Amino acid sequence: MSAQLLLVECPDRRGLVHGVTGLLLRQGCNVISNHEFVDHETARFFMRTEFTGEADADQIRRDTLAMLPQPATVRLSSLAPRRVAVLCSREHHCLADLVVRHAFGEINAHILAVASNYADLGEFVGKFGLPFHAISHDDISRDEHEQRLLEAILPYDPEYLVLAKYMRILSPQFVNRFPSRIINIHHSFLPAFAGAKPYHQAFRRGVKIIGATAHFVTEGLDQGPIIVQEVLPVDHTHGPQDLAQAGREVEKLALARALKLVFEDRVFLCENRTVIFD
Amino acid sequence: MSAQLLLVECPDRRGLVHGVTGLLLRQGCNVISNHEFVDHETARFFMRTEFTGEADADQIRRDTLAMLPQPATVRLSSLAPRRVAVLCSREHHCLADLVVRHAFGEINAHILAVASNYADLGEFVGKFGLPFHAISHDDISRDEHEQRLLEAILPYDPEYLVLAKYMRILSPQFVNRFPSRIINIHHSFLPAFAGAKPYHQAFRRGVKIIGATAHFVTEGLDQGPIIVQEVLPVDHTHGPQDLAQAGREVEKLALARALKLVFEDRVFLCENRTVIFD
Amino acid sequence: MSAQLLLVECPDRRGLVHGVTGLLLRQGCNVISNHEFVDHETARFFMRTEFTGEADADQIRRDTLAMLPQPATVRLSSLAPRRVAVLCSREHHCLADLVVRHAFGEINAHILAVASNYADLGEFVGKFGLPFHAISHDDISRDEHEQRLLEAILPYDPEYLVLAKYMRILSPQFVNRFPSRIINIHHSFLPAFAGAKPYHQAFRRGVKIIGATAHFVTEGLDQGPIIVQEVLPVDHTHGPQDLAQAGREVEKLALARALKLVFEDRVFLCENRTVIFD
Amino acid sequence: MSAQLLLVECPDRRGLVHGVTGLLLRQGCNVISNHEFVDHETARFFMRTEFTGEADADQIRRDTLAMLPQPATVRLSSLAPRRVAVLCSREHHCLADLVVRHAFGEINAHILAVASNYADLGEFVGKFGLPFHAISHDDISRDEHEQRLLEAILPYDPEYLVLAKYMRILSPQFVNRFPSRIINIHHSFLPAFAGAKPYHQAFRRGVKIIGATAHFVTEGLDQGPIIVQEVLPVDHTHGPQDLAQAGREVEKLALARALKLVFEDRVFLCENRTVIFD
């Protein structure tokens, strides 16, 4: 009888915590921990309740949904490892960190496969016995490339896609197949330095801090809800290459923290923001 | 009809959140925010509930207490500014930060008076119209000195004492008059460098980080529950004086953050640890 | 015979360190510490040398200049306290921090006067015996207002102007009177959120970090060379007001660190970047 | 004609920078960058000079040594990758980080072999084609175990030993074979929590920060010169296991930063402290 999660969001109303916890008690469940938040901007209520008990999970989900003001969303989670596909390009740092954490059971996920528009990282991925699909974008259209990507990854039926420095822009059609289920790591701080050669931009601007942002992918490039932001200090002795290395270090940290939060069902979306019960 | 806080701690038991929120609802109150935590080490339950409503506060307190497993503690707070006395010695940094925040309404407290074993900071305190009591420890016993301190500060009836770099050790008798109501800021990290000349110790040890710890005072010197710890990086170019300056900066930050948390009723004690609902 | 600084910048060339240190030795001076940096982007050499000795400072300056490739800049500094005027508006946090550090001798500067477009902070400044000039911008043109500001501050003959949350944009004419001698603190990270209501922008973007940038003022608004950047973590529970409070804390830190560096002659300009010998 | 390093330490004396740079100039060398530091506690001078030129390296070393006040140390380094052996036990995090950085050329080192008192990590190490020596400590004395370790690693002729969570105490005899050439990563902050079960100690103390210290190993356990210290914030929701996970993350960061500094010849020893030219 391991713990389960009840994940609720709905319009705020008086008595929600009392109501949901009462429903669980009547089902013979025991609440282990509970987090709630009301976003005042949207008057929306969020709740993450960890509970144990032998009750019928689907019954709890339906009963909870029925008692909430609408529109509401209710999910039940057993915290089973997430089914994840990873996209990457040529940079190894985020992918390697993810694969090693996976190999030692440090993230709550099964990496099903890795796909890339370059073959470079195939050897590394292969060491860990994971399928690797090299799908070049040369000489084909973006649509065609995305089509081939989908053919490679859809058979694994992934819940989440992780873009571990995947350096191509995904079309809205592709993104919309995985709504709020694609996680990206972005060089430098959003919304600053959003274009090309960000570390050269950052160098010329003389920044004293390098950051990285892990976020959900939405149709707008690099505009999705932020999950984690991390920074490292830099100084005048750092040229563009050094800034890029600092960027790699901080990207690795930010993505790992974001995936931990998402894969433990700690992240809710609230408009273009995230509510995180950490 | 401004918000109030219900602050609960008791042994953990099934249904506590449901029970307490139900009691508030039946009194016609509206829960605005709610935080709970169960400490697994002690099986103790902590809850901080912000609510609005015209109910009789004392009735709520009594009814809540009656429904909880014992031993329980129930407090109601209107978040009225705390009545605070400050003790200091000769170093200005924490005292000045506190007095300036007070002057601009940045902390939820009324500073009633400042007492010191030196006269040095009287001029500064006087600029802000606060009473200052210089009570020298020269030529008198510790007991006698503490007696005179009490004579100076007790008439103000303070809820909290803040030790803003008060450099004398308080006797257990003195400490026990203000149980869990004295907040201290300690140079460097506890439990490291607990003795004299901590920055010379830190220099000789070649530390690369300087820290400060804000904590509640208990009978054991510098052993009380930690509220906030902060750090600053240092390097080999910092001599003992530079480390001390870094220490002052980080002490100021740590104490200010700790006082904000305590004065907003966000800090619970759990054995020698703190539970903080931030 | 206290220490002096020799501050050199010029095109890079073989033998510069050897040449400058040799010149000091021949004058009977003793080098205490030495920092150099070559910016590879511009092939420009920077050197900050602390030395003691009874030599004629002006002679050293002229001889050094004569031996360097041109265009070169040579300054000698005795690290005398800087003559500083402060501009502010209504927000107290940076001004108060600066005034208190000044009062306790924590910065290498004499604050000569404070001027503001509002009267609010006059009472605070007055407590510390500093002149305060309230110069309203109501009903007058920007030019006229700047003219009155100059009439108030020029008689003090300040070397540096510190904009401690001065919320008006200075004209290029005004800025050019104090080239690289005006230091500003900017809400949030440059270049992000450069416009109005930055904390509302940051809230809607769902940022997880709040930053502040201390920089020299140039003609381009908020585009001048960055001296210090600092950050604080925030989360979904922070509304725009909380973000603004976090912003105030981090602005205070960033400005204080920047002023320490500038007033100790540790900051060189290199195009739109800073070289900092810390 | 790639860059070389001249690394000097000796008693401080007037004219050292001038003298050393002059010697390089006379040999036709070009100084690219230069860092010096005088430790006032010991009156000892440290210098790291990067230069190019076709001169005879050994001649430079001997001439430099001859001109310095004694006792002096002069080293020349071509920044060739360091020859490194790694010791580990059962925890993977530091070892895996190091092996992956090595695989992608991110550290200036050749890992020659890994030895461990457990077999657990052999499979991981093997994926990367590195020799792995499992040398159990069961049923043999410490001396005997160290003897077998040495038999395994000495044939590789390593310059440095990295203790990547090697959980056995090394004897002074063993340590003295690699003076200032063994780098260790220590759980939590030195000197705090130096004994067993540090995360349980930290939990009961209610710490709000978890740290890690990378240091050179000397005869005194965990008392050697500190190279890097890093921290992560924690709170009351972190049990001992969570603190340990935070500890692993921060250990990984601290060790990686320390190895980068050491393997780029940026670290000098000064009594029990480090001077780091970063």
Side-chain angles (χ1 to χ4, degrees):
Chain A
M1 195 183 72
S2 64
Q4 294 203 78
L5 290 180
L6 179 67
L7 305 158
V8 167
E9 63 178 282
C10 65
D12 190 28
R13 192 179 67 185
R14 198 163 163 275
L16 287 170
V17 173
H18 184 67
V20 174
T21 51
L23 190 147
L24 287 168
L25 286 170
R26 285 191 301 275
Q27 300 271 352
C29 298
N30 194 21
V31 172
I32 295 173
S33 79
N34 202 39
H35 289 90
E36 322 94 41
F37 178 69
V38 175
D39 180 63
H40 293 298
E41 192 87 348
T42 57
R44 200 126 179 110
F45 172 85
F46 301 88
M47 184 167 174
R48 179 189 191 270
T49 301
E50 197 182 355
F51 66 95
T52 53
E54 307 207 359
D56 176 344
D58 199 53
Q59 186 70 38
I60 289 176
R61 201 188 57 73
R62 273 182 285 123
D63 290 356
T64 307
L65 187 58
M67 72 175 287
L68 297 175
Q70 301 299 318
T73 308
V74 177
R75 289 173 288 152
L76 268 154
S77 162
S78 63
L79 278 177
R82 265 59 231 266
R83 301 175 51 81
V84 173
V86 182
L87 301 189
C88 61
S89 290
R90 309 181 82 170
E91 289 183 277
H92 72 280
H93 55 289
C94 286
L95 177 76
D97 185 70
L98 186 49
V99 165
V100 170
R101 287 179 187 273
H102 180 255
F104 287 102
E106 290 189 315
I107 53 172
N108 187 36
H110 287 321
I111 298 182
L112 307 166
V114 179
S116 174
N117 53 329
Y118 290 96
D120 308 44
L121 295 171
E123 187 190 334
F124 180 86
V125 170
K127 289 185 201 298
F128 292 87
L130 298 173
F132 182 83
H133 301 268
I135 300 167
S136 171
H137 59 269
D138 284 351
D139 304 322
I140 55 174
S141 69
R142 184 169 77 160
D143 280 0
E144 175 65 18
H145 187 250
E146 289 192 348
Q147 191 53 43
R148 294 191 194 174
L149 275 182
L150 287 173
E151 284 163 15
I153 61 179
L154 286 183
Y156 298 101
D157 188 26
E159 295 170 78
Y160 287 98
L161 292 195
V162 175
L163 308 187
K165 301 301 290 174
Y166 181 67
M167 301 307 280
R168 288 175 61 84
I169 296 169
L170 295 170
S171 70
Q173 294 85 328
F174 188 102
V175 168
N176 289 336
R177 278 177 168 268
F178 303 92
S180 303
R181 296 194 285 127
I182 308 180
I183 297 139
N184 187 39
I185 180 71
H186 192 280
H187 47 63
S188 198
F189 264 179
L190 290 174
F193 308 132
K197 290 214 167 195
Y199 293 109
H200 286 80
Q201 289 184 53
F203 174 75
R204 280 193 300 273
R205 187 63 193 88
V207 299
K208 300 299 186 188
I209 279 181
I210 284 291
T213 297
H215 63 99
F216 288 109
V217 177
T218 52
E219 293 191 25
L221 173 63
D222 299 332
Q223 296 297 309
I226 295 169
I227 309 165
V228 168
Q229 293 187 303
E230 297 282 342
V231 293
L232 284 177
V234 291
D235 63 34
H236 65 276
T237 66
H238 293 76
Q241 301 313 316
D242 305 301
L243 298 183
Q245 177 63 31
R248 284 190 286 271
E249 297 293 338
V250 77
E251 284 172 350
K252 209 158 59 174
L253 290 174
L255 183 60
R257 290 185 189 161
L259 294 182
K260 179 173 166 41
L261 294 169
V262 172
F263 295 162
E264 294 180 357
D265 281 320
R266 297 181 178 281
V267 183
F268 287 76
L269 288 175
C270 179
E271 298 199 315
N272 203 41
R273 293 171 278 128
T274 54
V275 170
I276 297 181
F277 295 129
D278 191 10
Chain B
M1 195 184 68
S2 64
Q4 294 202 78
L5 290 180
L6 179 66
L7 305 158
V8 166
E9 62 179 282
C10 64
D12 189 29
R13 192 177 68 184
R14 198 162 162 276
L16 287 170
V17 174
H18 183 67
V20 173
T21 52
L23 190 148
L24 287 168
L25 286 169
R26 286 191 301 275
Q27 300 271 353
C29 298
N30 193 22
V31 172
I32 295 172
S33 80
N34 202 39
H35 289 89
E36 321 94 42
F37 178 70
V38 175
D39 180 63
H40 293 298
E41 192 88 349
T42 56
R44 200 131 178 105
F45 171 85
F46 301 87
M47 185 167 173
R48 179 189 191 268
T49 301
E50 196 182 357
F51 66 95
T52 54
E54 306 207 1
D56 176 344
D58 199 53
Q59 187 69 39
I60 289 175
R61 202 188 56 73
R62 273 181 285 124
D63 290 356
T64 305
L65 188 56
M67 71 176 287
L68 297 176
Q70 300 301 316
T73 310
V74 178
R75 289 172 290 151
L76 268 154
S77 163
S78 63
L79 279 176
R82 264 59 231 265
R83 301 175 52 82
V84 173
V86 182
L87 302 189
C88 61
S89 290
R90 311 181 82 170
E91 288 183 278
H92 72 280
H93 56 287
C94 286
L95 178 77
D97 185 70
L98 185 50
V99 165
V100 170
R101 287 178 187 273
H102 180 254
F104 287 101
E106 290 189 313
I107 53 171
N108 187 36
H110 286 322
I111 298 180
L112 307 165
V114 179
S116 175
N117 53 331
Y118 289 97
D120 308 44
L121 294 171
E123 186 188 334
F124 180 86
V125 171
K127 288 184 200 300
F128 293 85
L130 298 173
F132 182 83
H133 301 268
I135 300 166
S136 171
H137 59 268
D138 285 350
D139 304 321
I140 56 174
S141 68
R142 185 169 76 159
D143 280 359
E144 174 64 19
H145 187 249
E146 288 192 349
Q147 191 53 44
R148 293 191 195 174
L149 274 183
L150 287 173
E151 284 164 15
I153 63 179
L154 287 182
Y156 297 102
D157 188 24
E159 295 170 79
Y160 287 99
L161 292 196
V162 175
L163 309 187
K165 303 299 291 173
Y166 181 67
M167 301 307 281
R168 287 175 63 85
I169 296 168
L170 295 170
S171 70
Q173 295 84 330
F174 189 101
V175 168
N176 290 336
R177 278 178 167 268
F178 303 92
S180 304
R181 297 194 284 126
I182 308 180
I183 297 140
N184 187 38
I185 179 73
H186 191 280
H187 48 64
S188 197
F189 264 179
L190 289 174
F193 308 132
K197 290 215 169 195
Y199 293 110
H200 286 79
Q201 289 184 52
F203 174 74
R204 280 194 299 271
R205 186 64 192 88
V207 299
K208 301 299 187 187
I209 281 181
I210 284 291
T213 297
H215 64 99
F216 288 108
V217 177
T218 52
E219 292 191 26
L221 172 63
D222 300 331
Q223 296 297 310
I226 295 170
I227 308 167
V228 167
Q229 292 187 303
E230 298 281 341
V231 293
L232 283 178
V234 292
D235 63 33
H236 65 276
T237 66
H238 294 77
Q241 300 313 315
D242 306 301
L243 297 183
Q245 177 62 32
R248 284 190 285 272
E249 298 293 338
V250 77
E251 284 173 348
K252 209 158 58 174
L253 290 174
L255 183 60
R257 288 182 192 164
L259 295 182
K260 179 173 166 40
L261 294 169
V262 171
F263 294 162
E264 295 180 356
D265 281 320
R266 297 181 179 280
V267 183
F268 287 76
L269 287 174
C270 178
E271 298 198 317
N272 204 40
R273 292 171 280 127
T274 54
V275 170
I276 298 181
F277 294 129
D278 191 9
Chain C
M1 194 184 69
S2 63
Q4 293 202 78
L5 290 180
L6 179 67
L7 305 158
V8 167
E9 63 178 280
C10 64
D12 190 28
R13 193 179 66 184
R14 198 162 162 275
L16 287 170
V17 173
H18 183 67
V20 174
T21 52
L23 190 148
L24 288 167
L25 286 169
R26 285 191 301 276
Q27 300 271 353
C29 299
N30 194 22
V31 172
I32 295 172
S33 79
N34 201 40
H35 290 90
E36 322 92 43
F37 178 70
V38 175
D39 180 63
H40 294 298
E41 192 89 349
T42 57
R44 202 133 177 103
F45 172 85
F46 301 88
M47 185 167 173
R48 179 189 191 269
T49 302
E50 198 182 354
F51 66 96
T52 53
E54 306 207 2
D56 176 344
D58 199 52
Q59 187 69 40
I60 289 175
R61 201 188 56 73
R62 273 181 286 122
D63 291 355
T64 306
L65 187 57
M67 71 175 288
L68 296 175
Q70 300 301 318
T73 309
V74 177
R75 290 173 288 152
L76 269 154
S77 164
S78 63
L79 278 177
R82 265 58 230 266
R83 301 177 50 82
V84 173
V86 182
L87 301 189
C88 61
S89 290
R90 311 181 82 170
E91 288 183 278
H92 72 280
H93 55 288
C94 286
L95 177 77
D97 185 69
L98 186 50
V99 165
V100 170
R101 287 179 188 273
H102 181 254
F104 287 101
E106 290 188 313
I107 54 172
N108 187 36
H110 286 321
I111 298 181
L112 307 165
V114 179
S116 174
N117 53 330
Y118 290 96
D120 308 44
L121 294 171
E123 186 188 335
F124 181 86
V125 171
K127 289 185 200 300
F128 292 86
L130 298 173
F132 182 84
H133 301 269
I135 300 167
S136 171
H137 59 267
D138 286 349
D139 304 323
I140 56 174
S141 68
R142 185 169 77 159
D143 280 359
E144 174 65 18
H145 187 249
E146 288 191 348
Q147 191 53 44
R148 293 190 195 175
L149 274 183
L150 287 172
E151 284 164 15
I153 63 179
L154 286 182
Y156 297 102
D157 189 24
E159 295 170 80
Y160 287 98
L161 292 195
V162 175
L163 309 188
K165 302 299 292 175
Y166 180 67
M167 301 307 280
R168 287 175 61 85
I169 296 168
L170 295 170
S171 71
Q173 295 84 329
F174 188 102
V175 169
N176 289 335
R177 278 178 166 268
F178 303 92
S180 304
R181 297 195 284 128
I182 309 180
I183 297 139
N184 187 39
I185 179 73
H186 192 281
H187 47 63
S188 197
F189 263 178
L190 289 174
F193 308 133
K197 290 216 168 193
Y199 293 109
H200 286 79
Q201 289 183 52
F203 173 75
R204 279 194 300 271
R205 187 63 192 88
V207 300
K208 300 299 186 187
I209 281 182
I210 284 291
T213 297
H215 63 100
F216 288 109
V217 177
T218 52
E219 293 191 25
L221 172 63
D222 299 333
Q223 296 297 310
I226 295 169
I227 309 165
V228 168
Q229 292 187 302
E230 298 282 343
V231 294
L232 283 178
V234 292
D235 63 34
H236 65 275
T237 66
H238 293 78
Q241 300 313 315
D242 305 301
L243 297 183
Q245 177 62 32
R248 285 190 285 271
E249 297 294 339
V250 77
E251 284 172 349
K252 210 158 59 173
L253 289 174
L255 183 60
R257 289 181 191 166
L259 295 181
K260 178 172 168 40
L261 294 169
V262 171
F263 294 161
E264 294 180 358
D265 281 320
R266 298 182 179 279
V267 184
F268 287 75
L269 286 174
C270 179
E271 298 197 317
N272 203 40
R273 292 171 279 127
T274 54
V275 170
I276 298 181
F277 295 129
D278 190 9
Chain D
M1 195 184 71
S2 63
Q4 294 202 77
L5 290 180
L6 179 67
L7 304 158
V8 167
E9 62 179 281
C10 64
D12 190 30
R13 190 179 69 185
R14 199 164 161 274
L16 287 170
V17 173
H18 183 66
V20 174
T21 52
L23 190 147
L24 288 168
L25 286 170
R26 286 191 301 276
Q27 300 270 355
C29 297
N30 194 22
V31 172
I32 295 172
S33 79
N34 202 38
H35 289 90
E36 320 94 43
F37 179 70
V38 174
D39 180 63
H40 293 299
E41 193 88 349
T42 57
R44 201 131 177 105
F45 171 85
F46 301 87
M47 184 167 174
R48 179 190 191 269
T49 301
E50 196 182 356
F51 66 95
T52 54
E54 307 206 2
D56 176 344
D58 199 53
Q59 187 69 40
I60 290 176
R61 201 188 56 73
R62 272 180 286 123
D63 290 357
T64 306
L65 188 56
M67 72 175 287
L68 297 175
Q70 301 299 319
T73 309
V74 177
R75 290 173 288 152
L76 267 153
S77 163
S78 63
L79 278 176
R82 265 58 230 267
R83 301 176 51 82
V84 173
V86 183
L87 301 189
C88 60
S89 290
R90 309 181 83 170
E91 289 184 277
H92 72 280
H93 56 288
C94 286
L95 177 77
D97 186 69
L98 186 48
V99 166
V100 170
R101 288 178 187 273
H102 180 254
F104 287 102
E106 290 189 314
I107 54 171
N108 187 37
H110 286 322
I111 298 181
L112 307 166
V114 179
S116 175
N117 52 331
Y118 290 97
D120 308 44
L121 295 171
E123 186 189 334
F124 180 85
V125 170
K127 289 185 200 298
F128 293 86
L130 298 173
F132 182 82
H133 301 268
I135 300 167
S136 171
H137 59 269
D138 285 350
D139 303 322
I140 55 174
S141 70
R142 185 170 76 160
D143 280 359
E144 174 65 17
H145 187 249
E146 289 191 349
Q147 191 53 42
R148 295 191 194 175
L149 274 182
L150 287 172
E151 284 163 16
I153 61 179
L154 286 183
Y156 297 102
D157 188 25
E159 294 171 79
Y160 288 99
L161 293 195
V162 175
L163 309 187
K165 302 301 289 173
Y166 181 67
M167 302 307 279
R168 287 175 62 85
I169 296 168
L170 295 169
S171 70
Q173 294 84 327
F174 189 102
V175 168
N176 289 337
R177 278 178 168 266
F178 302 92
S180 303
R181 296 194 284 128
I182 307 179
I183 298 139
N184 186 39
I185 180 71
H186 192 281
H187 48 62
S188 198
F189 263 179
L190 292 174
F193 308 133
K197 289 214 169 194
Y199 294 109
H200 285 81
Q201 289 183 52
F203 174 75
R204 280 193 299 272
R205 187 62 192 88
V207 299
K208 301 299 188 188
I209 280 180
I210 285 290
T213 297
H215 64 98
F216 288 108
V217 177
T218 52
E219 292 191 26
L221 172 63
D222 300 331
Q223 296 298 309
I226 295 169
I227 309 165
V228 168
Q229 292 186 302
E230 298 281 341
V231 293
L232 284 178
V234 291
D235 63 34
H236 64 276
T237 66
H238 293 76
Q241 300 313 316
D242 305 302
L243 297 184
Q245 176 63 32
R248 284 190 286 270
E249 298 293 339
V250 77
E251 284 172 348
K252 209 159 58 174
L253 290 174
L255 183 59
R257 289 182 192 165
L259 295 182
K260 179 173 167 39
L261 295 169
V262 172
F263 294 161
E264 294 180 357
D265 281 320
R266 297 181 179 281
V267 183
F268 287 76
L269 287 174
C270 180
E271 298 198 317
N272 203 40
R273 292 170 279 127
T274 55
V275 170
I276 297 181
F277 295 129
D278 190 11

